[in-house]
């Protein structure tokens, strides 16, 4: 009861669950539409896209299996910006948005945004789909330019919530700009239509749901769902110890002013268990740099949120209600904050964001045992290049696409070993290319795709090992551009865990000789030449001598760890038959523990 005698109806949990699943099913319908109808491989094979529903108050409501770096923060900012620049929203409107300065991620992530407006002209929800394009009109044939000194050198067309449909009819003036600038306009047009179809599917389904249940009931549902989600978040936070910790990591050095020795990244995390609040402060980081690695407001905030949510477990719903208990402090003109025009944010979804999430996880791990996570290995080695050229099987027709091979680097955590294809801000939600499909789509041959032994971050729960990928052109000379990270600064372990292996890129000539390539590089390959890529491994969680000997034995059997490393690092000795030698293992572990004590504490401190 409230004040007086007004009854407050109890929330019906069954109704809450049913409508929540209806909302999630609408987002899945958006994703399925885009996945099945897009033309570019990065979308229809790599699944580098996301879809979501945002409330009329500009809070994330449902995102289903979207990529976290796309949706935790960003859609809320874009929806708010849409209403500011287009205050008179009408049914049939759709907007193209990719501005990194107004709520988006990097410019290659094109968003289509549409308001859901009923027959009376009232705006109830906003639907958004975001897809990573292989080409967004950059000055070079790639969607991610780490060396771009500013947005002008980057070259992508910037669309700050520009109307592309009115009354369900195309605004051709804008669309002609894209066709004129993007290298493979037919592929872009197919992707655009797929994105448009996705938002129109969601609009149709939400309008039908509003007619079925009533708009007042739907808005009451969003309030109840957010309140329930906030309670789940409160419960998860109250199980943590209170305290403030700071962890530091660093992006690899780059040959640009301000990043020659790397870019330090620090995150200060404060947990107030009694008030059930978590605050992440990223303001003590350097200014924006003259390179494409600067975050956007959306990706900096999202990266911090990823680090927190990774550490809380799966019980917390991912929506605006849960986010009420999480505060992220950002600074304007900060490499890990809010960028100023014209600094480039070409690689704003990876690199620095991964380091932010890692620092948050490492800071949480310092609060006590079985909290936080290790750091993930860097994304986008040469096995995830943007490849371009002419396809001899199609009369030399030009093509450009983003390959999605060989991403590993998952971090160890308190509950188990790393997820192999964790992949930073995507958390493994994107898909690895099929070798057979990739060879059908592109004039390439994949020579090697394997896990590399002894590259995991050792620990009670190990990090993911590295992935080796090798490919060579077939019948054409092709250009490859990548934006690797983690070749200088490896992924740190937590709670005494070891660091993951560093990544590496090489070019092998027809004679077999190999040349080391830079982490942020491009190269052309002729037939007979091979690009060799090693992804970065993930950090381990807990001391390696705490690992279950049976788990080590299985790692040796599966080829993740060699017998020599099992004994040297984990202290597990196997006999000739591959069985654990209990006496030798006990002796070896005692020696390792004594050496660790002599070294004055844990190896692999989470603060670097």
């Amino acid at each position: 009861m409230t004040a007086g005698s007004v009854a407050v109806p109890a929330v019906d949990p069954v109704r809450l669950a049913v409508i929540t699943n209806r909302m999630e099913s609408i987002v899945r319908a958006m994703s399925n539409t885009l996945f099945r109808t897009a033309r570019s491989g990065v979308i229809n094979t790599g699944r580098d896209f996301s879809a979501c529903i945002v409330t009329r108050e500009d809070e994330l409501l449902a995102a289903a299996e979207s990529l976290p770096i796309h949706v935790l923060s960003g859609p809320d900012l874009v929806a708010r910006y849409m209403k500011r620049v287009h205050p008179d929203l009408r049914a049939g409107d759709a907007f193209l948005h990719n501005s990194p300065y107004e709520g988006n991620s990097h410019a290659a992530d094109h968003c289509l945004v549409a308001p859901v407006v009923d027959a009376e002209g009232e705006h109830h929800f906003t639907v958004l789909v975001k897809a990573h394009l292989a080409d967004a009109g950059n000055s070079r044939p790639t969607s991610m330019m780490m060396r771009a000194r500013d947005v002008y050198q980057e070259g992508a067309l910037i669309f700050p919530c520009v109307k592309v449909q009115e009354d369900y009819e195309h605004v051709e003036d804008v669309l002609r700009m894209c066709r004129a600038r993007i290298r493979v306009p037919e592929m872009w047009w197919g992707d655009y239509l797929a994105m448009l179809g996705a938002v129109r599917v969601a609009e149709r389904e939400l309008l039908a749901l509003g007619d079925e249940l009533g708009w007042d009931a739907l808005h009451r549902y969003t309030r109840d769902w957010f309140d329930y989600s906030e309670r789940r978040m409160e419960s998860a936070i109250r199980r943590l110890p209170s305290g403030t910790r700071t962890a530091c990591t660093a992006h690899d050095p780059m040959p640009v002013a301000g990043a020659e020795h790397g870019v330090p990244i620090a995150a200060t995390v404060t947990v107030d268990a009694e008030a059930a609040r978590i605050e992440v402060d990223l303001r003590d980081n350097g200014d924006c740099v003259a390179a494409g690695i600067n975050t956007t407001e959306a990706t900096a905030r999202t990266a911090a949120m990823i680090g927190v949510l990774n550490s809380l477990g799966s019980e917390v719903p991912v929506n605006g209600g849960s986010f009420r208990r999480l505060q992220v402090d950002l600074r304007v003109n900060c490499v890990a904050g809010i960028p100023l025009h014209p600094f480039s944010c070409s690689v704003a979804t990876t690199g620095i964001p991964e380091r932010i999430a890692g620092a948050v996880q490492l800071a949480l791990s310092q609060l006590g045992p079985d909290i936080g996570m290790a750091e993930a290995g860097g994304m986008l080695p040469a096995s995830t290049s943007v490849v371009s050229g002419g396809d001899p099987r199609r009369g030399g027709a030009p093509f450009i696409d983003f390959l999605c091979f060989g991403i590993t680097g998952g971090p160890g955590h308190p509950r188990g070993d790393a997820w192999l294809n964790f992949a930073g801000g995507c958390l493994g939600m994107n898909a690895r290319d099929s070798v057979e499909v990739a060879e059908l789509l592109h004039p390439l041959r994949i020579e090697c795709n394997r896990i590399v032994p002894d590259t995991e971050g050792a620990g009670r729960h190990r990090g993911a090992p590295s992935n080796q990928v090798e490919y060579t052109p077939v019948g054409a000379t092709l250009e490859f551009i990548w934006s690797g990270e983690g070749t200088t600064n490896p992924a740190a372990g937590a709670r005494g865990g070891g660091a993951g292996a560093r990544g590496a890129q090489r070019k092998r000539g027809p004679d077999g000789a190999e040349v080391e390539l830079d982490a942020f590089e491009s190269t052309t390959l002729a037939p007979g030449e091979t690009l060799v890529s090693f992804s970065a491994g993930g950090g381990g969680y807990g001391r390696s001598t705490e690992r279950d000997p049976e788990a080590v034995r299985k790692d040796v059997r599966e080829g993740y760890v060699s017998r020599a490393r099992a004994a040297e690092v984990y202290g597990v000795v196997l006999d000739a038959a591959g069985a654990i030698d209990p006496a030798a293992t006990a002796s070896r572990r005692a020696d390792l523990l004594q050496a660790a004590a002599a070294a004055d504490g844990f190896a692999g401190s989470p603060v670097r």
Side-chain angles (χ1 to χ4, degrees), residues 24 27 30-31 34 47-55 58-79 103-106 109-112 126-131 226 296-303 305-306 309 317-320 323 348-349 425-427 429:
E24 293 286 325
V27 177
M30 297 172 73
S31 298
L34 183 54
R47 292 185 66 92
D48 197 344
F49 65 83
S50 298
C52 64
I53 301 171
V54 179
T55 68
D58 309 321
E59 295 179 280
L60 178 67
L61 177 61
E65 292 86 15
S66 294
L67 310 186
I69 197 66
H70 281 171
V71 296
L72 295 189
S73 181
D76 55 333
L77 303 175
V78 173
N104 194 40
S105 42
H106 63 148
D109 280 340
H110 274 204
C111 298
L112 270 186
T126 298
V127 292
L128 180 149
V129 63
K130 176 183 290 192
F226 282 171
T296 68
E297 180 179 359
T299 58
R301 180 173 288 111
T302 293
M305 296 166 75
I306 287 172
L309 293 172
V318 179
N319 60 47
F323 301 164
T349 57
C426 300
L427 303 188
M429 299 306 298

Side-chain angles (χ1 to χ4, degrees), residues 34 110-112 129-131 133 191-199:
L34 183 54
H110 274 204
C111 298
L112 270 186
V129 63
K130 176 183 290 192
L133 306 182
D191 291 342
Y192 166 80
L193 291 177
M195 295 169 69
L196 184 63
V199 297

Side-chain angles (χ1 to χ4, degrees), residues 259-490:
E260 305 95 329
H261 307 292
V263 180
I265 297 297
T268 298
V269 181
T270 299
V271 176
D272 186 338
E274 183 176 355
R277 295 194 64 84
I278 295 179
E279 179 181 3
V280 179
D281 192 343
L282 300 178
R283 292 173 293 185
D284 190 21
N285 286 296
D287 291 344
C288 290
V289 296
I293 63 174
N294 302 290
T295 63
T296 68
E297 180 179 359
T299 58
R301 180 173 288 111
T302 293
M305 296 166 75
I306 287 172
V308 171
L309 293 172
N310 282 349
S311 305
L312 292 181
S314 59
E315 70 180 65
V316 178
V318 179
N319 60 47
S322 301
F323 301 164
R324 295 169 183 168
R325 294 282 155 179
L326 178 55
Q327 176 180 331
V328 181
D329 300 323
L330 302 177
R331 179 173 65 82
V332 175
N333 190 33
C334 179
V335 69
I338 303 171
L340 287 176
H341 187 278
F343 283 107
S344 173
C345 305
S346 184
V347 200
T349 57
T350 184
I352 296 292
E354 291 163 6
R355 296 295 184 174
I356 292 171
V360 171
Q361 292 162 188
L362 294 171
L364 285 166
S365 75
Q366 298 172 43
L367 288 173
D370 298 329
I371 301 171
M373 298 176 75
E375 189 177 15
M379 277 184 68
L380 303 184
S383 57
T384 58
S385 296
V386 176
V387 58
S388 60
D391 191 337
R393 302 168 302 178
R394 297 171 175 85
F399 75 95
I400 179 170
D401 212 346
F402 194 149
L403 301 175
C404 297
F405 287 110
I407 303 175
T408 58
H413 53 86
R415 297 172 295 280
D417 293 338
W419 191 1
L420 187 65
N421 63 332
F422 176 89
C426 300
L427 303 188
M429 299 306 298
N430 56 346
R432 292 167 59 102
D433 284 348
S434 158
V435 168
E436 294 79 8
V437 171
E439 291 179 341
L440 286 172
L441 292 176
H442 313 108
L444 291 170
R445 185 172 62 251
I446 315 303
E447 304 281 7
C448 169
N449 192 343
R450 72 181 187 101
I451 294 298
V452 183
D454 296 348
T455 54
E456 86 298 348
R460 171 161 55 95
H461 297 300
R462 58 168 173 75
S466 299
N467 192 182
Q468 179 182 354
V469 175
E470 300 181 8
Y471 42 55
T472 184
V474 176
T477 296
L478 305 178
E479 183 173 12
F480 298 81
I481 302 177
W482 61 90
S483 303
E485 223 271 290
T487 63
T488 302
N489 296 323

Side-chain angles (χ1 to χ4, degrees), residues 217-294:
L218 273 185
H219 295 309
R220 185 168 62 249
Y221 152 77
T222 62
R223 292 193 298 270
D224 292 341
W225 177 232
F226 282 171
D227 289 344
Y228 168 80
S229 301
E230 184 178 13
R231 291 194 296 272
R232 297 301 298 266
M233 184 73 157
E234 289 179 23
S235 175
I237 295 174
R238 287 199 169 107
R239 291 198 293 270
L240 300 177
S242 294
T244 298
R245 297 291 187 274
T246 298
C248 301
T249 180
H251 188 281
D252 284 354
M254 293 184 63
V256 299
E260 305 95 329
H261 307 292
V263 180
I265 297 297
T268 298
V269 181
T270 299
V271 176
D272 186 338
E274 183 176 355
R277 295 194 64 84
I278 295 179
E279 179 181 3
V280 179
D281 192 343
L282 300 178
R283 292 173 293 185
D284 190 21
N285 286 296
D287 291 344
C288 290
V289 296
I293 63 174
N294 302 290

Side-chain angles (χ1 to χ4, degrees), residues 11-87:
V11 175
D12 182 349
V14 174
R15 183 179 177 84
L16 195 67
V18 169
I19 299 178
T20 296
N21 277 288
R22 288 284 293 272
M23 291 294 183
E24 293 286 325
S25 72
I26 292 172
V27 177
R28 291 189 181 96
M30 297 172 73
S31 298
N32 196 44
T33 299
L34 183 54
F35 179 60
R36 289 180 176 273
T37 59
R39 290 192 183 179
S40 60
V42 66
I43 301 175
N44 65 31
T45 303
R47 292 185 66 92
D48 197 344
F49 65 83
S50 298
C52 64
I53 301 171
V54 179
T55 68
R56 60 182 177 180
E57 290 82 20
D58 309 321
E59 295 179 280
L60 178 67
L61 177 61
E65 292 86 15
S66 294
L67 310 186
I69 197 66
H70 281 171
V71 296
L72 295 189
S73 181
D76 55 333
L77 303 175
V78 173
R80 194 174 306 134
Y81 181 72
M82 176 190 69
K83 291 193 298 188
R84 180 163 70 86
V85 296
H86 299 283

